[in-house]
Amino acid sequence: MNFTARLDLRVEALDDGFMVLIPEQGKVVHLEGRDAEAFALARGGTDEVPDPLTGPMAGLVELGLVTTNAWDRRRVLQLGGATAAAAIAVIALPSVAAAASQPGTTSVNTTSTTTQPPTKTLDIAYLVVGGGGAGSS
């Protein structure tokens, strides 16, 4: 098969698509709509990608969720892989070490237990990609 979903991913089917854990990156990806259709196609293994799913499939290849021997890196970029990948919702999971050093953790010793209050702020970085436009003559 030319397009296959990686076997080491943890995949949970949802009503509207899939939640996919990428273990080595500590990220969860939410796939819905055409992204979910392309991922389902790759999970079954396929040699052909329908035209409406080429962009979403390129995004999945770019994210490393799908492997292919049919498209090289240049082809993935031509099909909009980077743009499609940026549009997919990715949730970064905190590492165990980072979580242990954050406020809100509990420390235990032989004499007492203390709990720090949870932090009140959340730093989030995101990229919004838009496109389109119109012209007239």
Side-chain angles (χ1 to χ4, degrees), residues 12-19 30-33 36:
E12 293 293 330
L14 304 173
D15 290 338
D16 66 340
F18 300 98
M19 292 295 280
H30 181 213
L31 302 173
E32 58 187 351

Side-chain angles (χ1 to χ4, degrees), residues 23-49:
E24 75 279 359
Q25 295 179 12
K27 295 180 181 178
V28 174
V29 179
H30 181 213
L31 302 173
E32 58 187 351
R34 290 200 172 161
D35 296 318
E37 289 179 52
F39 188 71
L41 191 64
R43 284 185 83 189
T46 186
D47 289 325
E48 299 293 324
V49 178

